[in-house]
Amino acid sequence: MTYPRYTKLAESLPATVPFVGPEAAERAMGKPFDARIGANENVFGPSPKAITAMQEALGGIWQYGDSENHALRHALAKHLSITPDNIMVGEGIDGLLGYLARLLIEEGDAVVTSDGAYPTFNYHVAGFGGVLHKLPYKDDCEDLPALIAKAHEVNAKMIYFANPDNPMATWCKGADIVAALDDLPEGCLLVLDEAYVEFAPEGTAADVDINDPRVIRMRTFSKAYGMAGARVGYALGAPELIMAFNKIRNHFGMNRASQAGALAALADQEYLSQTLVHVAQARLKITQIAEDNGLTTLPSATNFVAVDCGRDGAFAKAVLDGLVARGVFVRMPFVAPQNRCIRISCGTEDDLAAFANALPAALIEASK
Ligand SMILES: Cc1ncc(COP(=O)(O)O)c(C=O)c1O
């Protein structure tokens, strides 16, 4: 007998990670990156008040965090004019997507997403035996009407839709999402990932009735609030669905310092506004650098920009490899034709100067 006796499902899964982290790449290269602008982290960092709150929490780190995330849920509820019963806090959106898949997906259940959309969702669905149906982007945007039509066809339990989208940074109007809800098939949950919504133009956040059982929205402190390493995300939805997470979640998964940091970050909306200005400036700078090199960019509602390298995926990959070899960590979409682009996260002036320095040589090398 072989030990241990894995589930059939676990045995069938490939050993895979949704993303290879920059640290792993640094270890492989034997040196650190000069610019870390590939993972859509927020280089401008958290509010100083959040840093102080996390530092102050460290003395109490021998204590488990509050398993109910009471203070943060109440503060979010006040901020969003909803009730704490509409909010589940978890270990980033990534953690919450895993819980959601665990709640809804049995082997063989159908799930619909876009081909090339955020892969961690797919990873979780596959981990519970779900069957993913992937549809192409339309004009570099996720195509909600097509996703809904597919959900009817395959009797999907979930549709995943990110607004704004990663990796293209495109977006649609929140009102269009709300209008599409009536077209959802019976029993199909729309998972609306709003990881980047704070960066997006007014009207992008879908003004969904918070008690509507057909939608769950996911948000995070990783992006606009600059706290990716703290791992704090939250889901917004109808109380019954939110309560269901309590059946399967890791109740003590949040750490105290992160809870305190997120609370302080939320309270410092002035710092958030400054971050949004820095990010908007960095987006313009990335566009300028791309144009200086004869490239174009896609409009962005996020803290990253998709730079169109103007040719196919192999060319964009060669450009990316050239940037990585020159110490600039960036990523790119996985699927054609979106993989004609490379994806550049908003960096500091130094980060973007490193990008500007490395790009011309990377382009020449890729053209050879
Ligand atoms: C669309 C999308 N959703 C979720 C996440 C992850 O969020 P979190 O850090 O809260 O797990 C990312 C991070 O890149 C993302 O791009």
Side-chain angles (χ1 to χ4, degrees), residues 9-198:
L9 177 60
E11 259 178 352
S12 74
L13 295 172
T16 180
V17 287
F19 293 106
V20 178
E23 290 81 5
E26 287 176 334
R27 281 189 289 276
M29 291 190 308
K31 59 174 182 150
F33 285 113
D34 298 326
R36 181 170 164 135
I37 47 175
N40 302 341
E41 294 156 326
N42 175 351
V43 296
F44 304 107
S47 151
K49 291 177 183 155
I51 295 176
T52 304
M54 288 189 272
Q55 283 166 339
E56 284 173 356
L58 286 182
I61 209 75
W62 57 273
Q63 302 167 32
Y64 290 107
D66 173 9
S67 64
E68 294 181 4
N69 296 290
H70 183 91
L72 184 54
R73 281 176 41 248
H74 278 255
L76 282 166
K78 194 160 170 231
H79 182 67
L80 297 167
S81 305
I82 55 178
T83 78
D85 296 343
N86 295 115
I87 305 170
M88 178 52 64
V89 170
E91 303 88 335
I93 293 179
D94 286 358
L96 290 162
L97 289 174
Y99 293 140
L100 190 64
R102 185 170 173 199
L103 274 175
L104 296 189
I105 300 303
E106 290 177 302
E107 278 196 68
D109 283 343
V111 174
V112 174
T113 186
S114 307
D115 199 7
Y118 189 57
T120 306
F121 175 73
N122 301 353
Y123 171 80
H124 286 308
V125 168
F128 290 98
V131 178
L132 284 155
H133 298 266
K134 299 179 187 175
L135 294 190
Y137 279 59
K138 187 177 170 196
D139 301 330
D140 294 322
C141 297
E142 292 198 54
D143 184 355
L144 188 55
L147 294 170
I148 291 176
K150 188 74 180 175
H152 279 279
E153 188 190 316
V154 299
N155 188 23
K157 275 193 167 170
M158 280 199 270
I159 296 174
Y160 174 84
F161 186 77
N163 191 43
D165 169 64
N166 176 14
M168 302 314 283
T170 47
W171 70 102
C172 71
K173 285 196 196 110
D176 293 345
I177 298 174
V178 174
L181 292 179
D182 288 339
D183 300 332
L184 283 173
E186 188 69 30
C188 178
L189 182 73
L190 178 66
V191 184
L192 182 53
D193 185 335
E194 296 184 327
Y196 298 97
V197 79
E198 293 89 348

Side-chain angles (χ1 to χ4, degrees), residues 104-306:
L104 296 189
I105 300 303
E106 290 177 302
E107 278 196 68
D109 283 343
V111 174
V112 174
T113 186
S114 307
D115 199 7
Y118 189 57
T120 306
F121 175 73
N122 301 353
Y123 171 80
H124 286 308
V125 168
F128 290 98
V131 178
L132 284 155
H133 298 266
K134 299 179 187 175
L135 294 190
Y137 279 59
K138 187 177 170 196
D139 301 330
D140 294 322
C141 297
E142 292 198 54
D143 184 355
L144 188 55
L147 294 170
I148 291 176
K150 188 74 180 175
H152 279 279
E153 188 190 316
V154 299
N155 188 23
K157 275 193 167 170
M158 280 199 270
I159 296 174
Y160 174 84
F161 186 77
N163 191 43
D165 169 64
N166 176 14
M168 302 314 283
T170 47
W171 70 102
C172 71
K173 285 196 196 110
D176 293 345
I177 298 174
V178 174
L181 292 179
D182 288 339
D183 300 332
L184 283 173
E186 188 69 30
C188 178
L189 182 73
L190 178 66
V191 184
L192 182 53
D193 185 335
E194 296 184 327
Y196 298 97
V197 79
E198 293 89 348
F199 300 113
E202 192 73 30
T204 305
D207 191 12
V208 176
D209 176 348
I210 188 65
N211 295 315
D212 190 325
R214 298 171 297 182
V215 191
I216 189 163
R217 278 174 289 165
M218 303 271 183
R219 295 193 182 170
T220 183
F221 284 86
S222 297
K223 306 297 177 184
Y225 290 98
M227 293 180 50
R231 312 305 301 127
V232 187
Y234 54 101
L236 305 173
E240 297 74 21
L241 174 55
I242 293 301
M243 284 292 288
F245 280 78
N246 285 325
K247 298 181 191 173
I248 46 90
R249 74 189 174 99
N250 180 8
H251 288 262
F252 292 92
M254 303 301 299
N255 85 64
R256 298 181 76 78
S258 298
Q259 290 169 328
L263 197 56
L266 184 69
D268 195 352
Q269 290 294 310
E270 199 184 314
Y271 183 83
L272 175 69
S273 309
Q274 287 168 26
T275 299
L276 300 185
V277 172
H278 293 313
V279 165
Q281 284 165 348
R283 283 196 301 234
L284 289 177
K285 182 79 194 161
I286 294 168
T287 300
Q288 186 61 55
I289 295 168
E291 285 173 1
D292 291 347
N293 287 274
L295 306 177
T296 56
T297 54
L298 274 68
S300 165
T302 65
N303 69 333
F304 61 90
V305 177

